[in-house]
Amino acid sequence: QVQLVESGGGVVQPGRSLRLSCAASGFPFSTHGVHWVRQAPGKGLEWVAVISSDGNKKYYADSVKGRFTISRDDSRNTLYLQMHSLGAEDTAVYYCARDGRAGPGLLYLFDYWGQGTLVTVSS
Amino acid sequence: IVMTQSPATLSVSPGERATLSCRASQGITTNLAWYQQKPGQAPRLLIYSASTRATGIPARFSGSGSGTKFTLTISSLQPEDFAVYYCQQYNFWPPGPFGQGTKVEIK
């Protein structure tokens, strides 16, 4: 079965960096785009970033553009999110989610989700 | 584009029918999904293309609508269905936004 397992969250000081990972299994990782979606405590869901199945297309929400970088390593079946210049507004549970379209292109539909990893930005 | 869900909270007794609404500020044809999220858990895809149930989703969940008005119906609420439900459009970029959610609670 499809599994996505996030790691790398924790408490980080404002202005610092953090890298999140998402280990995928149960499907051919290289055939799907993969997203990061976050949820601030007690709030709704916010899409953060996506990388296409071939890794050539990367798109970001305006709120993180220029600070966050999404990448993937298909040899390790792993998705990453490198986060810089973190602020209190980045405090959230970060989920990785599989795009619902196999192959080229992105559907921006999230058909499988990991359990999330909590990032807390605090001094 | 703005997605507006109503009501914010829905109090329903087990076995009763629940009807949740989602409205888009612009037409999105049928590019709408519904997700269920229980406390402390990740969201789960329930419905896509406005009316297609995702893999493993029970038949008591149904979706309808197109354009700007959408509905999620749970025909007979089970104890495990009490959760927050989000709608999400995927017709326009950027993806999302998600609605603010409807909490279905036990009456």
Side-chain angles (χ1 to χ4, degrees):
Chain A
Q1 71 281 21
V2 174
Q3 268 201 311
L4 299 166
V5 180
E6 301 91 339
S7 61
V11 180
V12 60
Q13 293 180 327
R16 303 297 290 262
S17 301
L18 199 63
R19 188 177 83 157
L20 306 182
S21 300
C22 169
S25 60
F27 70 101
F29 184 64
S30 62
T31 62
H32 284 264
V34 204
H35 304 258
W36 289 99
V37 179
R38 67 183 180 183
Q39 186 171 37
K43 302 296 185 183
L45 300 161
E46 179 191 17
W47 174 79
V48 173
V50 63
I51 186 166
S52 60
S53 58
D54 62 6
N56 289 333
K57 297 182 179 63
K58 304 175 185 180
Y59 302 108
Y60 300 91
D62 286 345
S63 57
V64 306
K65 198 176 298 182
R67 300 189 299 123
F68 290 13
T69 301
I70 190 171
S71 62
R72 62 190 295 158
D73 183 344
D74 289 355
S75 68
R76 296 175 183 267
N77 289 348
T78 302
L79 173 74
Y80 301 102
L81 186 68
Q82 179 69 54
M83 306 184 293
H84 297 294
S85 303
L86 286 162
E89 68 278 9
D90 298 313
T91 294
V93 174
Y94 284 74
Y95 298 101
C96 61
R98 193 181 81 166
D99 190 86
R101 173 171 287 161
L106 293 162
L107 191 56
Y108 296 99
L109 171 72
F110 314 112
D111 64 352
Y112 289 93
W113 299 63
Q115 283 302 300
T117 187
L118 176 62
V119 173
T120 303
V121 183
S122 173
S123 54
Chain B
I1 185 169
V2 177
M3 306 300 293
T4 303
Q5 291 185 243
S6 62
T9 304
L10 189 59
S11 298
V12 185
S13 299
E16 288 188 340
R17 183 185 195 92
T19 302
L20 290 66
S21 294
C22 175
R23 182 171 295 218
S25 60
Q26 302 175 50
I28 58 171
T29 64
T30 56
N31 292 321
L32 182 104
W34 289 94
Y35 301 87
Q36 176 194 65
Q37 187 177 32
K38 298 178 183 178
Q41 296 188 19
R44 177 174 71 148
L45 177 65
L46 294 177
I47 300 283
Y48 62 96
S49 297
S51 62
T52 303
R53 279 189 302 277
T55 303
I57 301 304
R60 64 180 181 273
F61 290 92
S62 64
S64 64
S66 66
T68 62
K69 294 177 64 175
F70 301 87
T71 300
L72 174 70
T73 301
I74 311 171
S75 59
S76 176
L77 271 159
Q78 302 300 300
E80 62 268 27
D81 300 336
F82 293 94
V84 178
Y85 292 83
Y86 294 96
C87 63
Q88 179 235 339
Q89 70 85 24
Y90 52 98
N91 193 67
F92 293 109
W93 203 91
F98 295 82
Q100 76 277 24
T102 291
K103 182 179 180 181
V104 177
E105 63 177 25
I106 299 174
K107 188 175 182 179

